[in-house]
């Protein structure tokens, strides 16, 4: 199976998981990236079965709208039963690294609101220890050098993601070579640096369910 076929399989598995629980008033949180895009395309075939979606990025909002799925502002939504999104890495505790697509802040906000966070990923994303994928950190532009210096003090090698501006108008530092021992602690520590908007560790609020696409089929991991 190709990587795209694995992504498609987990997108369908996420849909199969949520479909029986959807009601006409349900609003679904939708993530960003190539795996999330497969989910959006699958979701579109059932757009009559729910009310609409909250998007974690402008790109996702656009794709949802193209499919005719209503997109709501998070502030106007009282309940979000499900958030479905991909990841760059997950460990067995379903702590994640996200932000490869620079959408980490909105993704973290939508995940915080959702009752159930379903992560969908192909098997290459499951790792024993987080950190081979450089950790994305969203930073207020004027704080870039300060934050970079602080990240070096934490043992990382931050690299400015050239030419990328987030949907919130900020920049991204990708931090290489971090020793991620206790992920919730490091997540809080980095978020405490003045000028950081948030970082791509999803450990304080990990996924609730990981649907992992493997050559033997979709595996379900829970915490
Ligand atoms: C975007 C993300 C994505 O979920 C992550 O980069 C995985 O993307 P893909 O499904 O394309 O592998 O965090 O900010």
């Amino acid at each position: 199976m190709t990587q795209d076929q694995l992504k498609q399989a987990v997108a369908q598995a996420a849909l199969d998981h949520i479909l029986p629980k959807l009601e006409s008033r349900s609003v679904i949180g939708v993530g960003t990236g190539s795996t999330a895009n497969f989910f959006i395309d699958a979701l579109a075939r059932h757009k009559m079965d729910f009310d609409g979606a909250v998007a974690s990025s402008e790109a996702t909002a656009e794709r949802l709208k193209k499919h005719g799925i209503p997109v709501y502002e998070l502030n106007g939504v009282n309940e979000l039963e499900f958030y479905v999104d991909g990841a760059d890495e997950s460990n067995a505790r379903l702590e994640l690294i996200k932000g490869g697509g620079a959408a980490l802040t909105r993704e973290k906000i939508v995940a915080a609101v959702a009752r159930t966070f379903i992560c969908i990923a192909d098997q290459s994303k499951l790792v024993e220890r987080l950190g081979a994928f450089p950790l994305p950190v969203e930073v207020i532009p004027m704080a870039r050098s300060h934050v970079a210096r602080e990240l070096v003090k934490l043992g990382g090698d931050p690299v400015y993601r050239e030419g990328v501006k987030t949907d919130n108008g900020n920049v991204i530092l990708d931090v290489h070579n971090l020793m991620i021992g206790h992920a919730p602690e490091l997540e809080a520590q980095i978020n405490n640096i003045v000028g950081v908007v948030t970082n791509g560790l999803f450990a304080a609020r990990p996924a609730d369910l990981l649907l992992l696409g493997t050559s033997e089929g979709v595996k379900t991991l829970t915490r």
Side-chain angles (χ1 to χ4, degrees), residues 3 7 31-38 56-57 83 85-89 97-105 107 119-122 124-125 133 136 161 200 202:
Q3 206 177 17
K7 289 178 182 185
T32 300
S34 56
T35 319
N37 281 345
F38 282 120
S56 67
S57 65
Y83 177 54
D85 197 0
D88 298 302
E89 282 185 352
I97 286 185
K98 290 183 49 52
L104 60 158
T105 299
E107 291 173 340
C119 182
I120 50 176
D122 68 83
S124 69
K125 307 289 183 68
F133 190 93
R161 205 183 290 181
F202 284 52

Side-chain angles (χ1 to χ4, degrees), residues 21-22 29 36 118 130 169 189:
K21 292 152 193 152
L22 289 186
I118 302 174
L130 296 173
Q189 227 175 341

